[in-house]
Amino acid sequence: MEMGYGVYVDPELESLVDRIHPPRVCIDNDSCQDCTLVKVDSANKHGVLLEMVQELTDLDLIISKSYICSDGRWFMDVFHVTDQSGNKITDKNLIRHIQQSICASRREKTQVKTTSLGKEITPRNLPMEHTTLEMTTVDKPGLLSEISAVLAELRCHVSAAVAWTHNTRAACIIHVEDDSNPGPIIDPHRVNRVQSHLSTVVNAHHNNSERRSVRLTTPVTGQTHTERRLHQLMMADKDYEESTYGPLIKRYDTVVTVENCREKGYSVLNVTSPDRPKLLFDTVCTLTDMQYVVFHATVSSKGSVAFQEYYIREKDGRTLNSEIQREAITRCIMAAVERRASHGLRLDVRSRNRSGLLSDVTRVFRENGLSIAMAEIGTRGEKAIGSFHVTDAHGHEVDPGMVEAVKKEIKRFGGMVIVGNGTSSNWSSRGSSSSNGVNEPRSSLGTLLWSQLERFSSKFQTLNS
């Protein structure tokens, strides 16, 4: 049995172990011709695998293979990674950043400017000057438009937002600032007023028996990673259950099996699915939040299919002995794989940042019969960019006439719409095997959003307001 997972461990002792046995991170560009090997040896603790995968994910690196071993108190892993163009990692600053930050408990809160990515890398979870809206609800056409309209009316400026839909459920995280006094909404009466108005809008789309949740939170130290938090919200909302609100449109072919390896004392989880970016992150994130420990794992891909194999136990060392446990992990892993799978046509919208912009964009979508299946919106200074995956109101493909009408309307208020490449789930056209890189809907508030913005900026002249 794995030592240390069933009992309390003093944080000071963990810190002492880290100091005595600091992690070793080796960046190897010689062993493979087509990728960089990131080799990590580290003192083991629950969640360390997720920290490492999350760090590589946030750097927009594509993981093509991974070999994981963490039996005992030591963690050893090898990640095969490339950049978004399929090249090895050669930027010295980026390599140094990976070495310094891949173990989150010891990373320095610094910024590194990389020449290859052309952007600043900043810690994802530092407190930010905004108030956060978290919402789960039944997926209904036009809901994001109504929510953003209420926020605009209440003079709440949306600085970033992410929305996912899966199995007729929807979850979103929206970062807002006080429009009249830039920064988080501090006045408790104003917070209550905003939350009350938003709850009214959400409740109007529900029957009394339907689940929904609306919550405003203020910045706190050590905020949960945005994409991990979305997984947590949707899992808490039970999006893994069979839909009772309408027909489920199956968009992914995912096979999950769970068996017990009795001679070794593990449960073996196998996941076969279409390959896509951030697949490894999504799977490991869900296993970690379900309190499972990964002892050994191999992740690879062949063509467009990804294969993941995990040797796991519960945190207290037990295997999955009941059918109920096996069914639960099967459903949750399938949901984790499928909820980020993009569907619909991707529209990238670029505009000058201003108050009420998201309300205007989503209103144009709604008025032209488009329903938002996934979205990511970000702002920086005077720039704003959003990536939307859209369908018609019935979840079907979008008519080209709808897109042209949307382009004209958004152009009238100084925006630009760029149609993405089909329904692929990458900002870049390159697929990623197991984990990461970049999701086309870009369902994280990651830095690639801004590297994509810089690509747009190099192609188009600055738009007038």
Side-chain angles (χ1 to χ4, degrees):
M1 181 184 297
E2 164 70 7
M3 298 179 61
Y5 284 116
V7 297
Y8 170 77
V9 178
D10 192 314
E12 291 296 325
L13 178 59
E14 282 196 344
S15 176
L16 177 62
V17 172
D18 289 341
R19 292 195 297 270
I20 295 176
H21 301 289
R24 296 190 296 270
V25 181
C26 173
I27 309 298
D28 180 1
N29 272 318
D30 299 323
S31 298
C32 290
Q33 293 183 348
D34 57 353
C35 67
T36 297
L37 302 187
V38 180
K39 303 176 183 179
V40 183
D41 296 329
S42 171
N44 194 18
K45 66 176 181 179
H46 185 60
V48 67
L49 174 59
L50 177 58
E51 291 175 358
M52 295 178 183
V53 172
Q54 179 177 295
E55 186 66 28
L56 295 174
T57 298
D58 289 347
L59 294 174
D60 306 317
L61 301 178
I62 294 177
I63 303 175
S64 58
K65 293 181 181 179
S66 183
Y67 304 96
I68 297 161
C69 180
S70 60
D71 240 340
R73 287 190 174 272
W74 201 253
F75 177 97
M76 292 176 287
D77 197 0
V78 178
F79 299 98
H80 293 229
V81 304
T82 64
D83 63 18
Q84 286 296 306
S85 300
N87 301 317
K88 291 185 177 183
I89 311 304
T90 57
D91 185 292
K92 293 182 180 179
N93 288 332
L94 178 56
I95 290 175
R96 182 167 60 252
H97 180 81
I98 293 172
Q99 292 172 325
Q100 293 175 348
S101 64
I102 200 166
C103 294
S105 61
R106 291 164 291 273
R107 65 174 171 234
E108 297 294 331
K109 306 298 185 181
T110 58
Q111 293 186 352
V112 179
K113 185 72 174 181
T114 70
T115 57
S116 61
L117 299 183
K119 60 180 179 286
E120 287 185 349
I121 301 169
T122 57
R124 178 69 66 89
N125 296 320
L126 291 179
M128 299 177 68
E129 293 302 315
H130 57 235
T131 299
T132 300
L133 164 66
E134 295 181 348
M135 183 182 75
T136 57
T137 178
V138 175
D139 182 22
K140 298 289 180 67
L143 183 58
L144 183 58
S145 175
E146 294 185 32
I147 290 293
S148 56
V150 169
L151 291 172
E153 183 180 346
L154 295 172
R155 301 188 63 78
C156 297
H157 176 59
V158 176
S159 57
V162 179
W164 291 355
T165 61
H166 175 248
N167 199 6
T168 74
R169 306 299 301 175
C172 70
I173 296 177
I174 302 176
H175 298 320
V176 298
E177 301 174 354
D178 194 323
D179 205 13
S180 58
N181 184 23
I185 303 173
I186 299 175
D187 183 357
H189 297 291
R190 181 155 157 70
V191 170
N192 290 337
R193 180 167 175 260
V194 172
Q195 181 161 315
S196 176
H197 279 68
L198 293 173
S199 296
T200 299
V201 172
V202 172
N203 291 340
H205 286 263
H206 288 72
N207 299 322
N208 291 333
S209 61
E210 292 177 338
R211 301 187 302 271
R212 66 270 199 187
S213 172
V214 178
R215 184 171 72 109
L216 261 71
T217 62
T218 54
V220 294
T221 302
Q223 285 180 311
T224 303
H225 186 277
T226 301
E227 295 176 356
R228 183 179 183 183
R229 183 60 184 152
L230 274 171
H231 278 298
Q232 292 173 347
L233 289 173
M234 299 205 82
M235 185 183 297
D237 194 44
K238 300 182 180 180
D239 74 319
Y240 51 82
E241 292 184 343
E242 293 297 324
S243 172
T244 58
Y245 300 109
L248 173 61
I249 301 174
K250 191 70 175 177
R251 301 181 176 91
Y252 239 50
D253 295 320
T254 305
V255 178
V256 179
T257 62
V258 183
E259 300 174 349
N260 280 340
C261 181
R262 299 188 183 279
E263 63 273 16
K264 298 293 184 179
Y266 299 115
S267 293
V268 184
L269 173 71
N270 280 283
V271 184
T272 304
S273 68
D275 193 15
R276 64 162 176 80
K278 300 194 178 183
L279 184 57
L280 179 59
F281 172 85
D282 295 336
T283 308
V284 172
C285 177
T286 301
L287 287 172
T288 303
D289 285 336
M290 293 184 73
Q291 301 301 303
Y292 288 107
V293 180
V294 175
F295 290 86
H296 304 279
T298 58
V299 178
S300 62
S301 65
K302 184 177 182 180
S304 60
V305 180
F307 305 93
Q308 303 178 74
E309 183 178 59
Y310 299 90
Y311 288 77
I312 62 173
R313 295 179 191 149
E314 294 185 74
K315 197 174 178 182
D316 60 7
R318 294 179 296 179
T319 57
L320 286 73
N321 296 316
S322 72
E323 186 60 32
I324 294 177
Q325 286 178 305
R326 288 191 285 269
E327 183 178 349
I329 193 173
T330 297
R331 286 189 176 189
C332 290
I333 292 298
M334 288 185 70
V337 170
E338 294 174 358
R339 66 173 61 112
R340 197 202 285 267
S342 62
H343 45 275
L345 179 68
R346 194 191 79 218
L347 299 179
D348 298 328
V349 180
R350 173 178 177 260
S351 180
R352 182 180 63 85
N353 185 21
R354 59 175 173 79
S355 180
L357 177 61
L358 179 60
S359 176
D360 289 339
V361 171
T362 53
R363 173 185 54 78
V364 170
F365 286 170
R366 185 187 74 243
E367 291 177 349
N368 286 277
L370 300 185
S371 178
I372 298 173
M374 297 187 76
E376 179 173 0
I377 301 96
T379 61
R380 178 175 292 175
E382 296 184 353
K383 299 176 182 179
I385 187 172
S387 181
F388 302 87
H389 280 244
V390 297
T391 65
D392 68 10
H394 303 290
H396 301 141
E397 291 185 5
V398 176
D399 184 273
M402 295 179 176
V403 177
E404 290 305 314
V406 166
K407 284 184 176 181
K408 291 178 181 179
E409 287 293 322
I410 291 181
K411 186 176 181 180
R412 289 177 183 174
F413 56 75
M416 175 180 291
V417 177
I418 300 174
V419 179
N421 296 324
T423 59
S424 168
S425 61
N426 284 331
W427 277 83
S428 68
S429 59
R430 174 183 168 85
S432 135
S433 83
S434 63
S435 122
N436 163 46
V438 150
N439 217 325
E440 208 162 51
R442 284 294 308 160
S443 299
S444 74
L445 301 181
T447 50
L448 189 66
L449 191 66
W450 298 108
S451 66
Q452 183 73 2
L453 176 60
E454 289 167 359
R455 294 190 201 108
F456 287 162
S457 298
S458 66
K459 295 179 181 179
F460 302 99
Q461 293 181 349
T462 303
L463 296 174
N464 295 324
S465 59

